[in-house]
Amino acid sequence: MLDPDTRRRVLDCLLVSQRHSWDQGLTAAVLADAGATGPLRALVDDAVARQRADGRLAELDPVCAVNSGAVGEFVHDLAVRAGDPVLTAAAAGQRAWLTSGAPRAADGTLFHLLGSRQVWADTVYMAVPFLAAVGEPAAALAQLAGHRARLRDPGTGLWAARWDEDAGALADARPWGTGNGWVAAGAARAVGRLTGDAADAVAAQVRELLDACLVHRRPDGLFGDVLDDPAGPADTDVAAMLATAALTGAAEGWLPPSYGTTGESLLAAVVDRVDDLGRVTGASAAPHFDRPGHSPEAQAFLLLADAAHRRWRAP
């Protein structure tokens, strides 16, 4: 879907952007998809160099409790492949943080930020694939279940943005588009790291969420920043995130081929919004995500969706 020149420009814009820990995880995923072993190793080494004493990798923002898990998956993978004791110790530190050190509710569900007892949809992407990758399938499923119980609306199938544990109520009940995208893409990434009934159960949840989101697709092929607000601004990143989930499932065979076709259509809608520099326009703008603009995660998810599309289309 992306021609080689456009793909290079999109990647260049990602690589020159200032990035947080979760963006480093997304960038690592892009490099892994591209087979860029040298840059991936350099990124992983940098994540380890910036690891906090409590185990959080690549974390420059001290209030972020879970976002470091997104890059931890790749530190773990390289540790296993290379047998590197430094990487092994770094991945173990990240694992210990997410399984026991990070703040959490009484049932173990992780809080997204330090100093705040809130559960966010974003955490699904940050924690669930990492836990599945490091051989903690029960912990991965427990995090998905804890977040789902608090944030998913059983009537619509959409996920709210944030839950306040102390109030026992939603702190932000809106079905934020990017929040639902984080859940869909994170759960889809975890399916390939799970086996048997666990993989099947998570795959079914991805399909369910994709179906719930697609009801709210706009005539221009995109989705709203808030999914059920047709008058609000669109966010191209949401389409890229959902395309990543749909195309991953189709390529790996746990979603029917029709989801590949849908993902292809979603991907095309985002490709149409790439400017001459290679930036994905119309995304929720970093760093505050409060207006349309550009973001590293929108760049990364376009590339992840494109890579999944090529896998799906491969003979």
Side-chain angles (χ1 to χ4, degrees):
M1 182 70 70
L2 285 173
D3 63 77
D5 180 64
T6 304
R7 188 178 300 122
R8 178 192 57 78
R9 287 186 285 115
V10 173
L11 178 59
D12 285 348
C13 288
L14 171 61
L15 294 178
V16 300
S17 300
Q18 294 192 29
R19 300 191 299 274
H20 285 281
S21 56
W22 70 90
D23 295 317
Q24 290 297 85
L26 291 171
T27 303
V30 168
L31 295 174
D33 278 351
T37 56
L40 178 59
R41 178 58 194 254
L43 185 152
V44 162
D45 286 348
D46 194 59
V48 174
R50 298 173 189 276
Q51 186 170 32
R52 290 181 171 266
D54 57 25
R56 288 177 288 166
L57 289 157
E59 191 54 78
L60 303 181
D61 188 341
V63 305
C64 291
V66 298
N67 293 331
S68 54
V71 73
E73 177 184 348
F74 301 94
V75 176
H76 166 76
D77 285 349
L78 282 180
V80 171
R81 288 202 294 270
D84 186 315
V86 174
L87 297 184
T88 299
Q94 180 67 63
R95 178 178 184 168
W97 171 254
L98 285 184
T99 55
S100 61
R104 64 199 66 223
D107 68 350
T109 302
L110 290 161
F111 298 136
H112 194 76
L113 300 175
L114 300 184
S116 170
R117 290 171 53 81
Q118 288 191 352
V119 174
W120 290 22
D122 312 40
T123 300
V124 171
Y125 189 96
M126 312 307 165
V128 174
F130 172 78
L131 292 170
V134 300
E136 295 276 3
L141 293 176
Q143 287 303 324
L144 184 58
H147 283 76
R148 178 182 169 92
R150 290 167 171 82
L151 296 172
R152 181 180 175 273
D153 181 338
T156 65
L158 300 176
W159 287 50
R162 293 181 283 123
W163 166 274
D164 187 291
E165 189 71 10
D166 290 333
L170 291 169
D172 185 347
R174 298 174 302 165
W176 183 40
T178 306
N180 282 269
W182 282 123
V183 175
R189 187 163 192 90
V191 171
R193 300 285 198 167
L194 298 167
T195 59
D197 291 345
D200 292 343
V202 176
Q205 290 188 41
V206 175
R207 183 173 184 174
E208 172 189 78
L209 180 54
L210 285 171
D211 290 347
C213 291
L214 287 167
V215 170
H216 300 280
R217 193 178 186 192
R218 297 178 173 190
D220 63 1
L222 300 177
F223 297 85
D225 176 60
V226 177
L227 290 173
D228 63 357
D229 178 9
D235 183 348
T236 46
D237 190 25
V238 180
M241 297 167 112
L242 298 179
T244 299
L247 287 162
T248 297
E252 294 178 357
W254 48 265
L255 284 178
S258 61
Y259 285 86
T261 303
T262 298
E264 187 173 62
S265 172
L266 293 169
L267 174 58
V270 182
V271 172
D272 283 346
R273 273 75 179 182
V274 176
D275 69 14
D276 290 343
L277 292 176
R279 296 174 301 187
V280 177
T281 65
S284 187
H288 302 298
F289 304 100
D290 56 354
R291 57 185 173 80
H294 317 105
S295 72
E297 59 198 55
Q299 299 296 124
F301 273 113
L302 174 55
L303 293 166
L304 292 172
D306 177 63
H309 179 254
R310 284 181 280 126
R311 291 193 297 272
W312 178 60
R313 283 295 190 186

